[in-house]
Amino acid sequence: MSMGIGVIGAGWIGQEHIRRLTERVVGANVVAVTDIDAERAKKVASDVDARALGTGQEVIDDPAVEAVVVTSWGPTHAEYVLAAIAAGKPVFCEKPLATTAEDCLRIVEAEQAHGRRLVQVGFMRRYDAGYRQLKQVIDSGGIGTPLLMHCAHRNPTVPEGYHSAMAAQDTAIHEIDTVRWLLEDEIVSAQVITPRSTSNKYDHLTDPQFMLFEMAGGARIDLEVFVNCQYGYDIRCETVGETGSVSLPDPAQVWLRSAGQVRTEVYQDWKDRFADAFDVELTEWVRAIHDDGEPTGPSAWDGYAASVISDATVESLHTGRVVNTQLKDRPDFYG
Amino acid sequence: MSMGIGVIGAGWIGQEHIRRLTERVVGANVVAVTDIDAERAKKVASDVDARALGTGQEVIDDPAVEAVVVTSWGPTHAEYVLAAIAAGKPVFCEKPLATTAEDCLRIVEAEQAHGRRLVQVGFMRRYDAGYRQLKQVIDSGGIGTPLLMHCAHRNPTVPEGYHSAMAAQDTAIHEIDTVRWLLEDEIVSAQVITPRSTSNKYDHLTDPQFMLFEMAGGARIDLEVFVNCQYGYDIRCETVGETGSVSLPDPAQVWLRSAGQVRTEVYQDWKDRFADAFDVELTEWVRAIHDDGEPTGPSAWDGYAASVISDATVESLHTGRVVNTQLKDRPDFYG
Amino acid sequence: MSMGIGVIGAGWIGQEHIRRLTERVVGANVVAVTDIDAERAKKVASDVDARALGTGQEVIDDPAVEAVVVTSWGPTHAEYVLAAIAAGKPVFCEKPLATTAEDCLRIVEAEQAHGRRLVQVGFMRRYDAGYRQLKQVIDSGGIGTPLLMHCAHRNPTVPEGYHSAMAAQDTAIHEIDTVRWLLEDEIVSAQVITPRSTSNKYDHLTDPQFMLFEMAGGARIDLEVFVNCQYGYDIRCETVGETGSVSLPDPAQVWLRSAGQVRTEVYQDWKDRFADAFDVELTEWVRAIHDDGEPTGPSAWDGYAASVISDATVESLHTGRVVNTQLKDRPDFYG
Amino acid sequence: MSMGIGVIGAGWIGQEHIRRLTERVVGANVVAVTDIDAERAKKVASDVDARALGTGQEVIDDPAVEAVVVTSWGPTHAEYVLAAIAAGKPVFCEKPLATTAEDCLRIVEAEQAHGRRLVQVGFMRRYDAGYRQLKQVIDSGGIGTPLLMHCAHRNPTVPEGYHSAMAAQDTAIHEIDTVRWLLEDEIVSAQVITPRSTSNKYDHLTDPQFMLFEMAGGARIDLEVFVNCQYGYDIRCETVGETGSVSLPDPAQVWLRSAGQVRTEVYQDWKDRFADAFDVELTEWVRAIHDDGEPTGPSAWDGYAASVISDATVESLHTGRVVNTQLKDRPDFYG
């Protein structure tokens, strides 16, 4: 098999996905690329013997394109995903699915109108080996009914353009999806608590933020988002249930004993920490599209829910209040 | 040296302290014991060649008693501590210092009137090797200014008499003291969030409880109290600062590889987990009284603060609101 | 790119490699399969739309076959590898390269006569992330000059056909290659010490065996081979240098706290433990053949050296003496 | 209780034991001290209100001395231990019991002639919490019959006076005793293998040394002694049995995440690593002498065996051969 893929957006993440689809994923073939920067599109396309096209719509319309990958600027996601649905082509969209809950909802409705799942959202943590083991232990009853989850999401630093709302929209959105998936339950409220901010940051930024989420079933989630923690990219997750607890391990790294210490390295970059997860994500997506014609990963509904919940989180950051999430009823279409 | 000690209250913790003072602490000699159960007092006293006396006041008045240990029922603590202060004798009082903030305050005032520290409260975690390392790292600037602290306090189970307010008064009170000591800062508000309760418990009990504390300096503390976690007695503490984080290690236990697993034991009992801390606590107390005539450990003020803060925590449990702690100004007397 | 691959031997490991080449390795295409069991060859070939051929020679001769994978019964390896060299086709041969040092040497000589590297031997540990980090630390001087290496190779159990010489020939052969690669030095002597044997085994089997190797540069290696250790498949390696030591980590697995223990799973199978290493091994082999026409992994010389050293190890098992390895001088051809 | 103790030898270890007996051990009272340096004896004695006496014999003869601690220069141990036995007084002797096997044997014989145990040798590892857990797991059958033991004994550095034979006599002697105690079995042969020596050392010193011991029951022990490992004082021990393995943990130290690493401290000094073990050792010795009049710890026979085995180890270092230990038959007296 070899599925023709069109990529819309050839920036950093687009190039990464093109590289993965070319070098790491069996059965995929990037055939068309577009970017707002036509020169960049040409350069990237020529590296993999793909066509550089002028617009996202041209990519979607290209007969050789059997499935679409959307890695353009966030505000353009909705347009391209809707166009792919209109064309009846499977589309893998990097998070966020859209920059407003309304646009997410339009996608959800369009997909339902189409009658079959076409959309997958790029929440790659569901493909991380550690998280999958975590889910397996939870699902198998290894810790009993989950009651609490303690999470941390730390980056060594962020660029100056990062603003306080992005802690929810860009960073916590990964845990928002992960929690919903791990617990198979919905988040009903969000609250942000703001500790003293680090001095290693921009004046405009509230960092760290301590977030609290409540699940419909009563479990409570706490999440430290700290994007200027200095020391590394570090992801922690412990789920506590009625009879035990299960935790993500630190990544396996060699242990060095020297100069009076036992030590191991911490990743500095999410691209390294989740490199394998990205490979598995695209591999399984291509395989599912090829075998069944529809994706099995995070759905448009998951993208919509993450959008609503991160909006509620930002609202809490601004108001200081607990904010209830106002999700529509989940359509049967999404199981 | 050998300091004569009188013990008021010969129940479980009283007997434990008598045993420690006799077998583990150099320079101490239990000379008098009393208990509400006169037979028990006689039995316990005769085991260590001490006198059994009829009342706490008699113990305090005994000329051979140079320092007093109060391990009686909580509601009687204030009376005996005040009597020891009146007699000008050093007194080690198990937590709580008193069962009301008002009584704690009376002790604080009596001690100040006396003009020298006489009171030490039994917050033994300050003597645990792990917590001391944690404090050393924080004090040395190893993690920069602390911003967050993530704690868990888990017991395998509790007796039926344990009720929801005790999560703050009996259990979290240890973290309340530890946090104030580690960060050298005061707690200004408390909030309790109540996840779905475990089904492995009594209907009357809200368990786990998730507590949030705010420090005057802006650091935020979260604490899971889960007293029916089933699997063991487990204490976790991570302090996150501007440049790094430092965590309590699990106690050192041998690693067993067998039957498909790598495993190590979890303590089932706080008495085992903090056995060394109790030894060090009493050893340093006896040494300080002997050398300088006054204690260096947790003070009456610390006992008062813990009382006010645990009251605020219970109030939040009942009201669901953030409750500001209403501490008096700290007297210069307490540094 | 898509390189045509012919596979000789469709038993368990052959099928695994076919699956990997088909599902996990980009740029490879299994086009021809043979097996001593013609029915099995047909079945396996049809699953991947390859041709089933009658003999290994036919596979090698097939014009569509650009590179050969030899996964047949060990005693047939030399014949097929020599035939591939004669045909001038790259050949990946599962270990052992040949069952006698003489046959390995014939391959080494044939390859040199050919004038370019064609042979790669299946020592997959060089592709394991942990071992690669170990090598990186050693190469970067992180532990100073290596002096000692402590290794263990444990299997939960082995089938009854496993005999005592296989501890060196089949099991320790992985460490023999790994040590030579990690230290970039040659093994000059081998010694086997035989502890009391486990009772969980066959009477004919000496298990565990404790092996000692001496490097030309003076470093010493010890290796516990224990193939009926019951509890799991467990690989340990610590290299001790003049200024520090570096150790393989246990694989990252979630930590479960339950029933009084903290625990993590141990792999039961080398196929799981080294699954990623196998993927990387074949991916890099295909890439190297495609890009440069010759392999970069373990060479025929490495296969020859491993054969001589494992023979010496078996001799020591039988004689109880230290046995010097009698390697030919390393040809310049092999760097 | 308060037992009068006389200390012979007030050098570093003597002072340490005096401090422990004074500050950490309940029921002991150092009443007499002697040292080859009379001024030092006076100084040390006056610090603890003990008498400074002129000779070891005077200490032994002092009626206030109920038990003797020998911490003088090794070559004088035998004389003082024999004198204590002659006086019928319990004697705790730091290792070695004597500097020759012959002298050890004289002590063994004298003690038997006396008819009751009087001698304990200072092998403190038997009192380390980790080793005790190890023994408990082994004794409880947690790993099945022990077959192998892997040990390492690393010091950051040693003074120039340290010579190659001391690797066995001073360093490995701890593991020699520990192994005999853990496995309750005798060492029947010793062998030393000499890897390339570290360049961070004296030319006269063979370091590291890799030692192999064979037990009567067939288990095999390997021990890396590396006294200039640079990075820390590090003790490792794994016992492998028929169904599992059990390992000493690293000491519990806080985990610091900073500057791209997760790290914990390694002890630099055996005095810190085994501080608790020394406390427990002397506490249990004093308790046993007080309660039963005879010690329960490592016996004169253990001191004799360690001497014979370390002699055999040194012989192997010099000859390169496996050396059988030539222990006398163990008298019934020693159980």
Side-chain angles (χ1 to χ4, degrees):
Chain A
M1 71 180 214
S2 190
M3 191 164 73
I5 312 257
V7 177
I8 301 173
W12 182 85
I13 185 75
Q15 291 179 40
E16 269 292 284
H17 281 0
I18 289 168
R19 184 188 60 73
R20 284 174 200 283
L21 288 165
T22 306
E23 296 176 11
R24 309 283 298 169
V25 176
V26 168
N29 199 13
V30 176
V31 294
V33 176
T34 190
D35 193 78
I36 193 164
D37 173 349
E39 284 310 303
R40 182 161 67 178
K42 262 185 219 164
K43 168 78 179 62
V44 170
S46 82
D47 285 351
V48 295
D49 293 326
R51 277 182 301 285
L53 298 179
T55 65
Q57 190 64 52
E58 286 177 63
V59 167
I60 293 165
D61 292 340
D62 187 325
V65 169
E66 297 168 83
V68 179
V69 168
V70 176
T71 45
S72 52
W73 191 42
T76 66
H77 285 188
E79 173 190 350
Y80 297 129
V81 171
L82 286 167
I85 294 172
K89 294 191 178 178
V91 55
F92 176 96
C93 181
E94 258 312 306
K95 58 108 192 161
L97 175 58
T99 46
T100 66
E102 291 66 29
D103 276 350
C104 290
L105 210 51
R106 287 172 56 212
I107 291 167
V108 160
E109 283 159 5
E111 189 178 40
Q112 289 182 80
H114 174 76
R116 250 197 122 183
R117 276 196 62 189
L118 287 174
V119 180
Q120 179 164 328
V121 185
F123 291 125
M124 80 291 189
R125 290 206 189 168
R126 299 193 188 191
Y127 301 90
D128 174 72
Y131 275 111
R132 286 185 157 189
Q133 281 182 36
L134 217 62
K135 181 154 177 59
Q136 194 174 21
V137 170
I138 295 169
D139 288 353
S140 70
I143 59 166
T145 303
L147 304 175
L148 285 159
M149 224 160 121
H150 307 304
C151 310
H153 187 146
R154 299 177 188 151
N155 291 62
T157 188
V158 286
E160 188 158 4
Y162 190 103
H163 55 81
S164 297
M166 291 171 74
Q169 290 162 343
D170 260 44
T171 303
I173 198 168
H174 284 291
E175 272 83 7
I176 288 170
D177 181 69
T178 305
V179 160
R180 297 174 63 254
W181 167 70
L182 281 175
L183 301 187
E184 295 179 5
D185 194 7
E186 197 51 87
I187 293 175
V188 295
S189 79
Q191 181 181 6
V192 180
I193 286 171
T194 53
R196 168 190 187 123
S197 274
T198 176
S199 59
N200 297 311
K201 60 145 186 77
Y202 318 108
D203 287 342
H204 67 260
L205 189 58
T206 300
D207 182 47
Q209 295 179 26
F210 191 69
M211 300 176 180
L212 299 167
F213 301 103
E214 183 182 3
M215 308 305 293
R220 294 285 188 151
I221 318 301
D222 58 274
L223 165 61
E224 172 201 326
V225 172
F226 189 5
V227 296
N228 288 285
C229 83
Q230 309 295 310
Y231 75 84
Y233 181 74
D234 203 3
I235 299 300
R236 320 282 287 275
C237 182
E238 179 188 18
T239 308
V240 184
E242 294 198 343
T243 62
S245 110
V246 61
S247 308
L248 272 190
D250 283 337
Q253 305 265 24
V254 293
W255 289 98
L256 181 62
R257 292 167 181 261
S258 71
Q261 298 185 325
V262 184
R263 57 183 113 197
T264 195
E265 300 291 317
V266 178
Y267 281 116
Q268 292 305 302
D269 202 310
W270 56 272
K271 289 163 276 192
D272 296 329
R273 171 65 179 82
F274 288 111
D276 288 348
F278 279 115
D279 284 355
V280 176
E281 177 188 47
L282 288 177
T283 296
E284 295 194 8
W285 176 66
V286 165
R287 167 68 53 188
I289 301 302
H290 178 270
D291 289 356
D292 305 313
E294 60 181 338
T296 55
S299 69
W301 183 260
D302 295 319
Y304 160 71
S307 175
V308 171
I309 296 161
S310 64
D311 284 353
T313 309
V314 173
E315 185 183 333
S316 176
L317 171 67
H318 292 147
T319 64
R321 290 200 310 270
V322 177
V323 176
N324 293 327
T325 60
Q326 306 281 349
L327 283 164
K328 304 279 179 196
D329 289 340
R330 186 186 185 105
D332 292 342
F333 181 86
Y334 291 104
Chain B
M1 72 180 212
S2 188
M3 194 164 72
I5 312 256
V7 177
I8 301 172
W12 182 84
I13 184 74
Q15 291 178 39
E16 268 293 284
H17 281 1
I18 289 169
R19 184 188 60 72
R20 284 174 201 283
L21 288 165
T22 305
E23 295 176 11
R24 308 283 300 170
V25 177
V26 168
N29 197 15
V30 175
V31 295
V33 176
T34 191
D35 192 79
I36 194 165
D37 174 347
E39 284 310 303
R40 182 161 67 178
K42 262 185 218 165
K43 169 75 179 61
V44 170
S46 81
D47 285 351
V48 293
D49 292 328
R51 276 183 301 284
L53 298 179
T55 67
Q57 191 63 51
E58 286 177 64
V59 167
I60 293 165
D61 293 340
D62 187 327
V65 168
E66 296 167 84
V68 178
V69 168
V70 176
T71 44
S72 52
W73 190 42
T76 67
H77 285 188
E79 173 190 349
Y80 296 130
V81 171
L82 286 167
I85 294 172
K89 293 189 178 178
V91 54
F92 176 96
C93 181
E94 260 311 308
K95 58 108 193 162
L97 175 58
T99 46
T100 67
E102 291 68 30
D103 277 350
C104 290
L105 210 50
R106 287 171 58 210
I107 291 168
V108 160
E109 284 158 4
E111 189 178 40
Q112 289 182 80
H114 173 76
R116 251 197 121 181
R117 275 197 61 189
L118 288 173
V119 180
Q120 179 165 326
V121 184
F123 291 126
M124 79 291 189
R125 290 205 189 169
R126 298 194 188 190
Y127 300 90
D128 175 73
Y131 275 112
R132 286 186 157 188
Q133 281 182 36
L134 217 62
K135 182 155 176 58
Q136 193 174 22
V137 170
I138 294 169
D139 289 353
S140 70
I143 60 166
T145 303
L147 305 175
L148 285 160
M149 224 161 121
H150 307 304
C151 311
H153 187 146
R154 299 177 187 150
N155 292 62
T157 188
V158 285
E160 189 158 3
Y162 190 103
H163 55 81
S164 297
M166 291 171 75
Q169 291 162 341
D170 260 43
T171 302
I173 198 168
H174 284 291
E175 272 83 8
I176 288 170
D177 180 70
T178 304
V179 160
R180 298 173 64 252
W181 167 71
L182 281 175
L183 302 186
E184 296 179 4
D185 194 6
E186 197 51 85
I187 293 175
V188 295
S189 79
Q191 182 181 6
V192 180
I193 286 171
T194 52
R196 171 190 183 123
S197 275
T198 176
S199 59
N200 296 312
K201 64 150 183 76
Y202 318 107
D203 287 341
H204 68 260
L205 189 59
T206 300
D207 181 47
Q209 295 179 26
F210 190 69
M211 299 176 182
L212 298 167
F213 300 103
E214 182 182 3
M215 309 305 294
R220 294 285 187 150
I221 318 302
D222 59 273
L223 165 62
E224 172 201 327
V225 172
F226 190 5
V227 296
N228 288 285
C229 83
Q230 308 295 311
Y231 76 84
Y233 181 74
D234 203 2
I235 300 300
R236 320 283 287 276
C237 181
E238 179 186 19
T239 308
V240 184
E242 293 198 345
T243 62
S245 111
V246 60
S247 307
L248 273 190
D250 283 338
Q253 306 264 25
V254 293
W255 288 100
L256 181 62
R257 292 166 180 262
S258 71
Q261 298 185 324
V262 184
R263 56 182 114 196
T264 194
E265 300 289 318
V266 178
Y267 281 116
Q268 291 306 302
D269 201 310
W270 55 272
K271 288 162 278 191
D272 295 330
R273 172 65 180 80
F274 287 111
D276 287 348
F278 279 116
D279 285 355
V280 176
E281 177 188 47
L282 288 178
T283 295
E284 294 195 7
W285 176 66
V286 165
R287 166 69 53 187
I289 300 302
H290 178 269
D291 289 356
D292 305 313
E294 60 181 338
T296 55
S299 69
W301 182 259
D302 294 320
Y304 161 72
S307 174
V308 171
I309 297 160
S310 64
D311 284 353
T313 310
V314 173
E315 186 183 333
S316 176
L317 171 67
H318 293 146
T319 64
R321 291 201 307 268
V322 177
V323 177
N324 292 328
T325 59
Q326 305 281 351
L327 281 165
K328 305 281 178 194
D329 289 339
R330 186 186 185 105
D332 293 341
F333 182 85
Y334 292 104
Chain C
M1 72 180 213
S2 189
M3 191 165 74
I5 312 255
V7 177
I8 301 173
W12 182 84
I13 185 75
Q15 291 178 42
E16 269 293 284
H17 281 359
I18 289 168
R19 184 189 60 73
R20 284 175 200 283
L21 288 164
T22 305
E23 296 176 10
R24 309 281 299 168
V25 177
V26 168
N29 199 13
V30 175
V31 294
V33 175
T34 191
D35 192 78
I36 193 165
D37 174 348
E39 284 310 303
R40 182 161 66 178
K42 262 185 219 165
K43 169 76 178 62
V44 170
S46 82
D47 285 350
V48 294
D49 292 326
R51 277 183 301 285
L53 298 180
T55 66
Q57 190 64 51
E58 287 176 62
V59 167
I60 292 165
D61 292 341
D62 187 326
V65 168
E66 297 167 83
V68 179
V69 167
V70 177
T71 43
S72 53
W73 191 42
T76 66
H77 285 188
E79 172 190 349
Y80 297 129
V81 172
L82 286 167
I85 294 172
K89 293 191 178 177
V91 54
F92 176 96
C93 181
E94 258 312 307
K95 57 107 193 162
L97 176 58
T99 47
T100 67
E102 290 67 29
D103 276 352
C104 289
L105 210 51
R106 288 172 57 211
I107 291 167
V108 160
E109 284 159 4
E111 188 178 40
Q112 288 182 81
H114 173 76
R116 249 197 125 183
R117 276 196 61 188
L118 288 173
V119 180
Q120 178 164 327
V121 184
F123 292 125
M124 80 292 190
R125 290 206 190 169
R126 299 193 189 192
Y127 301 90
D128 174 72
Y131 275 112
R132 286 185 157 189
Q133 281 184 35
L134 216 64
K135 182 156 177 57
Q136 194 174 22
V137 170
I138 295 169
D139 288 354
S140 70
I143 59 166
T145 304
L147 305 174
L148 285 159
M149 225 161 120
H150 307 303
C151 310
H153 187 146
R154 298 177 188 152
N155 291 62
T157 189
V158 286
E160 188 157 4
Y162 190 102
H163 55 81
S164 297
M166 292 170 74
Q169 290 162 342
D170 260 44
T171 303
I173 197 167
H174 284 291
E175 272 82 8
I176 287 170
D177 180 69
T178 305
V179 160
R180 298 173 63 254
W181 167 71
L182 281 175
L183 301 187
E184 294 178 7
D185 194 7
E186 196 51 85
I187 293 174
V188 295
S189 78
Q191 181 181 5
V192 181
I193 286 172
T194 52
R196 170 191 186 122
S197 274
T198 176
S199 59
N200 297 313
K201 62 147 185 77
Y202 318 107
D203 287 342
H204 67 259
L205 188 59
T206 300
D207 182 47
Q209 295 180 25
F210 190 68
M211 301 177 180
L212 299 166
F213 301 103
E214 183 182 3
M215 309 306 293
R220 295 285 189 151
I221 318 302
D222 59 273
L223 166 61
E224 173 201 325
V225 172
F226 189 5
V227 296
N228 288 285
C229 82
Q230 308 294 311
Y231 75 84
Y233 181 74
D234 203 2
I235 300 299
R236 320 282 287 276
C237 181
E238 180 188 17
T239 308
V240 184
E242 293 198 343
T243 61
S245 110
V246 61
S247 308
L248 273 190
D250 284 337
Q253 305 264 25
V254 294
W255 289 100
L256 180 62
R257 293 168 179 259
S258 70
Q261 298 185 324
V262 183
R263 56 183 114 196
T264 194
E265 300 290 316
V266 178
Y267 281 116
Q268 293 305 303
D269 202 309
W270 56 271
K271 288 161 278 191
D272 296 329
R273 171 65 180 82
F274 288 110
D276 288 347
F278 279 115
D279 284 355
V280 176
E281 177 188 47
L282 288 177
T283 295
E284 294 194 7
W285 175 66
V286 165
R287 168 68 53 187
I289 300 303
H290 178 270
D291 288 356
D292 305 313
E294 60 182 338
T296 55
S299 70
W301 182 259
D302 294 321
Y304 160 71
S307 174
V308 171
I309 296 161
S310 64
D311 284 355
T313 310
V314 173
E315 185 184 332
S316 176
L317 171 68
H318 292 147
T319 63
R321 290 200 310 268
V322 177
V323 177
N324 294 327
T325 59
Q326 306 280 351
L327 282 165
K328 305 281 180 196
D329 288 339
R330 186 186 184 105
D332 292 341
F333 182 86
Y334 292 104
Chain D
M1 72 178 214
S2 187
M3 193 165 71
I5 312 256
V7 177
I8 300 173
W12 182 84
I13 184 77
Q15 290 177 40
E16 269 292 285
H17 281 0
I18 289 168
R19 185 188 59 73
R20 284 174 201 283
L21 289 165
T22 304
E23 295 175 10
R24 308 283 299 170
V25 177
V26 168
N29 198 13
V30 176
V31 294
V33 176
T34 191
D35 192 77
I36 193 164
D37 175 347
E39 284 310 304
R40 182 161 67 178
K42 261 184 219 164
K43 169 75 177 61
V44 170
S46 81
D47 285 350
V48 294
D49 292 327
R51 276 183 301 284
L53 298 179
T55 66
Q57 190 64 51
E58 286 176 62
V59 167
I60 292 165
D61 293 341
D62 188 328
V65 169
E66 297 168 83
V68 179
V69 168
V70 176
T71 45
S72 52
W73 191 42
T76 67
H77 284 188
E79 174 190 348
Y80 297 130
V81 171
L82 286 167
I85 294 172
K89 293 190 177 177
V91 55
F92 177 95
C93 182
E94 259 313 307
K95 58 110 192 159
L97 176 58
T99 48
T100 66
E102 291 68 30
D103 277 351
C104 290
L105 210 50
R106 286 172 58 210
I107 291 166
V108 160
E109 283 158 5
E111 188 177 42
Q112 290 182 81
H114 173 75
R116 252 197 120 181
R117 276 196 61 188
L118 289 172
V119 180
Q120 179 164 329
V121 184
F123 291 125
M124 79 291 190
R125 291 206 189 168
R126 299 193 189 190
Y127 301 91
D128 175 73
Y131 275 112
R132 286 186 157 189
Q133 281 182 36
L134 216 63
K135 182 155 176 58
Q136 194 173 22
V137 171
I138 295 169
D139 288 353
S140 70
I143 59 166
T145 304
L147 304 174
L148 285 159
M149 223 160 123
H150 307 304
C151 310
H153 187 146
R154 299 178 188 152
N155 292 61
T157 188
V158 285
E160 189 158 4
Y162 190 104
H163 56 80
S164 297
M166 290 170 74
Q169 290 163 341
D170 261 45
T171 303
I173 197 168
H174 283 292
E175 272 83 8
I176 288 170
D177 181 70
T178 305
V179 160
R180 297 174 63 252
W181 166 71
L182 280 176
L183 302 186
E184 295 180 5
D185 194 7
E186 197 50 86
I187 293 174
V188 295
S189 79
Q191 181 181 7
V192 180
I193 286 171
T194 53
R196 169 191 187 122
S197 273
T198 176
S199 59
N200 295 313
K201 64 149 184 76
Y202 318 107
D203 287 341
H204 67 259
L205 189 57
T206 301
D207 181 47
Q209 295 180 26
F210 190 69
M211 300 177 181
L212 299 166
F213 301 102
E214 182 183 3
M215 308 306 292
R220 295 285 188 150
I221 318 302
D222 59 272
L223 166 61
E224 172 201 326
V225 172
F226 189 5
V227 296
N228 288 285
C229 83
Q230 308 296 310
Y231 75 84
Y233 181 74
D234 204 1
I235 299 299
R236 319 281 287 277
C237 181
E238 180 188 18
T239 307
V240 184
E242 293 198 344
T243 61
S245 110
V246 61
S247 308
L248 273 190
D250 283 338
Q253 306 265 25
V254 293
W255 289 99
L256 180 62
R257 292 166 180 261
S258 71
Q261 298 185 323
V262 183
R263 56 183 114 196
T264 195
E265 300 290 317
V266 178
Y267 281 116
Q268 293 305 303
D269 201 308
W270 56 272
K271 287 163 279 192
D272 295 330
R273 172 64 179 82
F274 288 111
D276 288 348
F278 279 116
D279 284 356
V280 176
E281 177 187 47
L282 288 177
T283 296
E284 294 195 6
W285 177 66
V286 164
R287 168 67 54 187
I289 300 302
H290 177 271
D291 288 356
D292 305 313
E294 59 181 340
T296 54
S299 69
W301 182 259
D302 294 320
Y304 160 72
S307 174
V308 171
I309 295 160
S310 65
D311 284 353
T313 310
V314 173
E315 186 183 332
S316 176
L317 172 67
H318 292 147
T319 63
R321 291 200 308 269
V322 177
V323 176
N324 293 327
T325 60
Q326 306 280 351
L327 283 165
K328 304 282 179 193
D329 289 340
R330 186 186 185 105
D332 292 343
F333 182 85
Y334 291 104

